Amino acid sequence: MRQISVPAARRIALAAQGFADRSTAPSPGPRQFARLYERTAIVQVDSVNVLTRAHYLPAFSRLGPYDRAAFDAMEHPRRRVFEYWGHMASYSPVQHHPLLRWRMAEHRTKTWGFIDRLVRENPAYVDDVRQLIAERGPLTSSQVDPQRTGKVRGEMWSWHDAKAAIEWLFRTGELASVRRNTQFERVYDLTERVIPREILDLPTPTCDDAQRELLEVAARAHGVATAQHLRDYFRITGRHTERLLDELVESGALQRVRLHGVEGQWFLHRDARIPRHVPRSALLAPFDPLVWERDRTQRLWDTHYRIEIYVPKPKRVRGYYVLPYLLDEQLAALVDLKADRAQRSLLVQAAHHIGTLDIRYVAQRLSEDLVKMAHWLDLVDVRIADVGDLSAQLRCVG
């Protein structure tokens, strides 16, 4: 069985995610954004806005400063991507809609306990919500409120009931997200008024065919990965995935390989390439597909990384919203960042040096990238707290 060194595997992973691409565009636009989605296949959405919305960061990491309004235009009005439950709530190329219809079908029988109970016990309510959006959409869940619409059937409807009904209709594919509004709420409408007709008319693949293709999409986006890493990309579960991976190997799409000094079997995608070097630096979102599978981050970069948003403050080790810093193929720092919009400052609340690169070199390069991020976020300066072994070095070069 072919063996690959860990440094080579890192370069494969970086190339697969677009970090080895060179853009000559002075201002990234639709072509570069489409290339990003071609590389990653999926961009996770998250409501935390301590720095900026998470889905904006992967493009910044790969393309540098860009116009966020132009990125939003990928979703609306000319729809090139759509939001659904891919890897959590995520944006995916609209061409992937048929590949996720098996999940929409599954959600008709099981989603979450509260949602399922509402659908089971009060289907007429769900029908009314569906009809209301058909008549008055696009609407947010907070707009589907009986105190505002007057559409009360029997007992008073709560906001939670409205949210649960709309979430069920969204998960089952009857509703789609038109966009996110300024409060980051989904704006819902009937799917046939959101997803292009040419996409809706595409045949629906069988569950096996769709999941097999999604596993290959994940393998192409990873370059090299274990079976668990591939399943996690689109949150595909079940023992049958072993058979689907075997079929991808038999077809030649994947090759079984081993990483030197790393336990377990890995899969190499046939399109994977190994650059000679990837001299890039990038601040990575906690939800960046390069690092969101924590076992993979540990194995490839020897870095234990976790999101501590939900960890009580006294128990946090690195900080609240910590971004790994990629430098010269290594993860070289962990940086807790916050945008102080009132003072127009990028706050470095903690900065920790990791890896083997010289700390002074890391500080110099990171300082430059922090200034670049601050300007992109329309902030005027970078302020560094005295937390972490990298902070003093950052202040020296800042």
Side-chain angles (χ1 to χ4, degrees):
M1 184 179 294
R2 179 180 177 183
Q3 282 211 358
I4 298 173
S5 70
V6 170
R10 290 176 182 172
R11 295 195 295 275
I12 291 171
L14 291 169
Q17 282 285 313
F19 287 98
D21 293 351
R22 296 191 178 188
S23 175
T24 58
S27 179
R31 181 176 298 179
Q32 289 74 33
F33 301 148
R35 182 63 169 166
L36 166 72
Y37 277 103
E38 180 183 338
R39 288 296 198 187
T40 66
I42 198 165
V43 173
Q44 186 172 336
V45 179
D46 189 81
S47 61
V48 174
N49 195 26
V50 66
L51 181 64
T52 189
R53 300 295 184 189
H55 64 284
Y56 291 129
L57 287 168
F60 176 77
S61 300
R62 291 155 178 79
L63 303 173
Y66 68 93
D67 180 0
R68 279 169 286 175
F71 188 76
D72 289 339
M74 295 291 287
E75 183 190 18
H76 182 80
R78 182 182 177 185
R79 188 160 302 277
R80 300 182 183 181
V81 300
F82 76 110
E83 182 182 345
Y84 189 63
W85 291 95
H87 181 94
M88 304 299 289
S90 312
Y91 293 122
S92 295
V94 72
Q95 291 80 7
H96 287 181
H97 186 273
L99 299 180
L100 291 166
R101 291 176 191 165
W102 62 271
R103 179 163 286 157
M104 299 173 189
E106 283 189 350
H107 283 162
R108 300 199 74 83
T109 57
K110 185 176 182 181
T111 55
W112 290 344
F114 176 75
I115 297 174
D116 294 340
R117 185 166 59 252
L118 174 71
V119 173
R120 182 174 62 252
E121 295 177 358
N122 198 354
Y125 172 83
V126 180
D127 290 341
D128 282 350
V129 171
R130 182 191 295 108
Q131 183 62 31
L132 179 64
I133 292 178
E135 294 173 357
R136 305 188 188 180
L139 298 172
T140 66
S141 62
S142 59
Q143 290 172 318
V144 183
D145 183 324
Q147 297 181 46
R148 298 178 183 175
T149 66
K151 287 182 66 65
V152 179
R153 175 188 290 270
E155 297 181 357
M156 181 66 71
W157 297 355
S158 72
W159 184 92
H160 293 291
D161 285 345
K163 176 63 177 175
I166 285 181
E167 183 64 25
W168 187 82
L169 292 166
F170 175 70
R171 285 171 177 258
T172 59
E174 293 191 48
L175 299 182
S177 175
V178 179
R179 62 186 177 276
R180 294 272 184 160
N181 67 13
T182 54
Q183 288 75 45
F184 208 59
E185 297 175 291
R186 288 195 194 105
V187 180
Y188 299 90
D189 205 348
L190 299 180
T191 295
E192 57 263 33
R193 299 201 294 235
V194 178
I195 304 299
R197 174 49 55 186
E198 63 268 22
I199 300 297
L200 292 177
D201 288 344
L202 292 173
T204 299
T206 66
C207 182
D208 269 9
D209 287 346
Q211 292 188 358
R212 186 187 306 106
E213 186 165 347
L214 288 173
L215 288 169
E216 186 183 352
V217 169
R220 185 182 293 109
H222 271 322
V224 62
T226 69
Q228 175 53 35
H229 305 159
L230 298 180
R231 287 191 291 262
D232 176 74
Y233 211 73
F234 286 96
R235 299 297 171 92
I236 298 172
T237 60
R239 296 186 62 181
H240 69 290
T241 57
E242 297 176 8
R243 169 176 53 82
L244 298 179
L245 290 171
D246 287 341
E247 292 170 0
L248 288 170
V249 171
E250 291 171 7
S251 72
L254 302 183
Q255 177 187 357
R256 290 186 176 90
V257 297
R258 293 194 179 279
L259 267 57
H260 184 72
V262 179
E263 293 184 358
Q265 178 180 263
W266 293 62
F267 294 89
L268 180 71
H269 192 270
R270 63 183 163 197
D271 294 338
R273 63 189 184 93
I274 311 178
R276 295 182 62 182
H277 63 289
V278 185
R280 287 288 302 273
S281 64
L283 286 155
L284 304 173
F287 307 102
D288 193 292
L290 183 70
V291 294
W292 70 29
E293 216 296 329
R294 306 312 183 198
D295 174 77
R296 188 167 183 265
T297 304
Q298 178 75 60
R299 293 193 191 202
L300 287 184
W301 281 281
D302 194 26
T303 298
H304 176 71
Y305 172 58
R306 65 180 299 197
I307 298 175
E308 298 184 80
I309 292 172
Y310 304 110
V311 176
K313 187 174 182 179
K315 296 184 178 180
R316 291 180 196 144
V317 177
R318 304 293 190 180
Y320 179 80
Y321 199 76
V322 175
L323 283 70
Y325 181 56
L326 173 71
L327 179 61
D328 296 345
E329 304 172 16
Q330 294 192 35
L331 294 184
L334 296 173
V335 192
D336 182 18
L337 298 182
K338 178 180 180 178
D340 183 342
R341 296 175 180 88
Q343 299 298 318
R344 295 189 66 191
S345 295
L346 178 61
L347 305 183
V348 181
Q349 303 190 114
H352 298 271
H353 177 238
I354 59 175
T356 60
L357 294 176
D358 181 79
I359 191 170
R360 292 166 296 182
Y361 171 64
V362 173
Q364 179 64 52
R365 295 292 302 276
L366 176 57
S367 178
E368 295 168 0
D369 285 328
L370 289 169
V371 170
K372 184 188 299 183
M373 172 175 277
H375 291 167
W376 175 60
L377 296 176
D378 196 29
L379 306 172
V380 298
D381 64 3
V382 178
R383 291 161 46 195
I384 303 165
D386 188 20
V387 180
D389 59 350
L390 188 55
S391 297
Q393 291 288 338
L394 281 173
R395 285 196 298 273
C396 286
V397 300

